[in-house]
Amino acid sequence: GKILQKLGICSDFSILRILLDTIPPWRDSKLLIKDLKVDEVPLRIYQPKRPPTGKRRGILYFHGGAGTFGSIRAFERICRYIAKKCDSVVVSVGYRLAPEHPYPGQYLDCLNATLYFMRNLGEYHVDPALIIISGDSCGANFATVICQMLLNKKDLPKVRAQILLYPGLQGLDFHLPSYQQNASVPILYRKLVIYFCFRYLNKEPSVIEDVLQGCHVPESMKQKYKKWVSADIIPDEFKIRGYVPQKSTSYKPEVHEAIKEILGLTFSPLLAEDSIISQLPESYIVTCEFDVLRDDGLLYKKRLEDNGIQVTWYHSENGFHGILAFFGYGIFSFLSGKKIMDSTVNYINSL
């Protein structure tokens, strides 16, 4: 992709987008599938064909892809599986991608799609007490932020649960144990995280190394948030695999200015105040051992539990970041991904 970009043929993200769209699934005799647009944002709604015995759950799904690639089509198999196994209405949101659609437009697209669905539950026979907001990777970030945003919407139904599949939730510390241990583990390398951040924000990636070292974070912010974002909070069993405590680095104002958006609450919802965290719904969090973002999930799990929020946690000991992108592709899928999906389905069915 980078070679083709240098030759002026197409962007590196164009290749990623083509690869992720891949082969469309076969028609499904058990589902009604409807496409529509809400404020120019594509939605695909999956409903079981069999008549409901009562009102169903309504599940919003925000796909992963670093906000720059991925699509409804690429994550179709996940949404179909959930709709059938959970007898639920699943709304997959095709938020518009950066950099063509500038940040933070992705959050607004997800919010508008959520508001549309929550205001039209009767049309889809959805129980307003059983609305679930979910996503994987950056989509889990969007789900987290949307749940926080909805706390001020008193005229809407209360979200029953949030489902966060290997979420990325903070841009403060890229030296957490999982970032060190999995720096070179496919498919999301440590340096690639920062590269995607820059591309997502439509910034020139000229200070990637400085951001990796933490030079973008003012000392006052490090001190303020170390109670929530620190390797000291990560359980010891996750530090066995070659973790080395980070040496302090010097703050560089010019680096902060170049990428300050990643420290905002929209990009880093892990940094929200306790007054917000304590109002959030019951949560289900998936982490993968071989994932640079593993510790983001662990830290958010602790924050939620410390604020009295019930958390169901599933840790995939053999999983890696993006494993669900292969779900449903036969010999190309992974057993660990199937186990994640089945655990997720069991959680949804328990609500």
Side-chain angles (χ1 to χ4, degrees):
K2 289 184 177 180
I3 291 171
L4 292 175
Q5 181 169 285
K6 288 180 180 178
L7 292 173
I9 296 173
C10 65
S11 73
D12 53 352
F13 282 164
S14 296
I15 299 299
L16 280 170
R17 290 172 183 176
I18 291 169
L19 288 174
L20 268 180
D21 268 351
T22 58
I23 305 168
W26 296 102
R27 290 179 179 272
D28 198 315
S29 60
K30 295 182 179 180
L31 291 176
L32 293 170
I33 300 176
K34 173 183 176 182
D35 288 309
L36 70 154
K37 283 192 174 183
V38 174
D39 294 333
E40 301 304 314
V41 179
L43 306 183
R44 182 165 291 173
I45 302 177
Y46 306 84
Q47 302 176 74
K49 274 188 177 179
R50 67 175 180 270
T53 55
K55 289 190 175 181
R56 289 184 163 119
R57 302 176 192 85
I59 304 169
L60 286 131
Y61 189 85
F62 309 132
H63 66 76
T68 57
F69 54 93
S71 67
I72 286 174
R73 184 176 174 183
F75 289 81
E76 175 114 348
R77 289 162 178 81
I78 291 174
C79 293
R80 289 187 180 208
Y81 192 78
I82 293 173
K84 288 186 291 187
K85 293 291 185 179
C86 300
D87 190 31
S88 299
V89 178
V90 177
V91 181
S92 183
V93 180
Y95 56 85
R96 290 169 289 184
L97 302 174
E100 297 91 338
H101 187 63
Y103 166 88
Q106 294 68 38
Y107 296 93
L108 299 177
D109 285 354
C110 291
L111 178 61
N112 288 337
T114 302
L115 295 178
Y116 159 78
F117 185 55
M118 295 179 85
R119 289 168 177 161
N120 292 275
L121 298 177
E123 181 180 343
Y124 302 104
H125 306 288
V126 167
D127 187 339
L130 288 174
I131 297 172
I132 299 164
I133 297 182
S134 65
D136 69 281
S137 191
C138 78
N141 175 291
F142 300 159
T144 305
V145 173
I146 298 307
C147 281
Q148 294 182 5
M149 287 180 170
L150 289 175
L151 295 176
N152 295 321
K153 303 284 186 180
K154 304 302 182 184
D155 58 323
L156 296 172
K158 188 176 181 181
V159 176
R160 176 67 177 84
Q162 59 178 349
I163 294 177
L164 312 177
L165 310 174
Y166 40 75
L169 299 171
Q170 58 87 30
L172 189 81
D173 189 345
F174 298 103
H175 264 279
L176 293 168
S178 62
Y179 271 104
Q180 291 189 29
Q181 296 161 341
N182 302 307
S184 301
V185 174
I187 54 177
L188 187 62
Y189 305 107
R190 178 169 172 256
K191 188 174 288 188
L192 200 55
V193 173
I194 312 299
Y195 176 73
F196 282 147
C197 288
F198 274 85
R199 292 300 299 272
Y200 177 44
L201 298 170
N202 202 17
K203 307 271 190 178
E204 286 299 320
S206 56
V207 291
I208 283 181
E209 290 299 332
D210 286 324
V211 174
L212 283 171
Q213 298 304 318
C215 300
H216 65 300
V217 186
E219 188 59 35
S220 59
M221 187 172 284
K222 288 180 182 178
Q223 293 302 315
K224 177 180 179 180
Y225 292 122
K226 69 179 182 180
K227 60 184 176 181
W228 297 334
V229 183
S230 170
D232 295 339
I233 306 172
I234 303 297
D236 289 340
E237 60 263 33
F238 293 102
K239 300 177 186 176
I240 296 171
R241 212 164 31 91
Y243 166 66
V244 178
Q246 179 194 14
K247 296 178 181 179
S248 60
T249 54
S250 300
Y251 169 60
K252 296 182 180 180
E254 68 277 11
V255 177
H256 172 78
E257 191 62 30
I259 196 70
K260 61 185 178 183
E261 289 88 346
I262 69 173
L263 299 174
L265 292 182
T266 304
F267 198 100
S268 296
L270 179 56
L271 306 182
E273 294 295 328
D274 286 339
S275 58
I276 293 175
I277 301 294
S278 62
Q279 299 182 67
L280 291 171
E282 177 182 333
S283 304
Y284 172 84
I285 298 176
V286 167
T287 54
C288 292
E289 179 60 30
F290 299 99
D291 179 7
V292 288
L293 301 183
R294 180 198 69 200
D295 293 349
D296 283 25
L298 294 177
L299 292 173
Y300 201 54
K301 170 181 177 288
K302 185 176 188 306
R303 285 222 59 205
L304 289 165
E305 290 174 337
D306 287 350
N307 280 275
I309 306 301
Q310 180 179 336
V311 178
T312 300
W313 172 50
Y314 180 85
H315 182 64
S316 176
E317 294 184 354
N318 297 313
F320 57 88
H321 191 83
I323 193 171
L324 294 180
F326 301 91
F327 177 75
Y329 283 93
I331 62 171
F332 299 104
S333 61
F334 295 84
L335 179 60
S336 293
K338 176 69 162 53
K339 288 181 177 179
I340 290 172
M341 287 305 304
D342 288 342
S343 174
T344 304
V345 162
N346 289 338
Y347 172 75
I348 293 171
N349 286 333
S350 73
L351 297 175

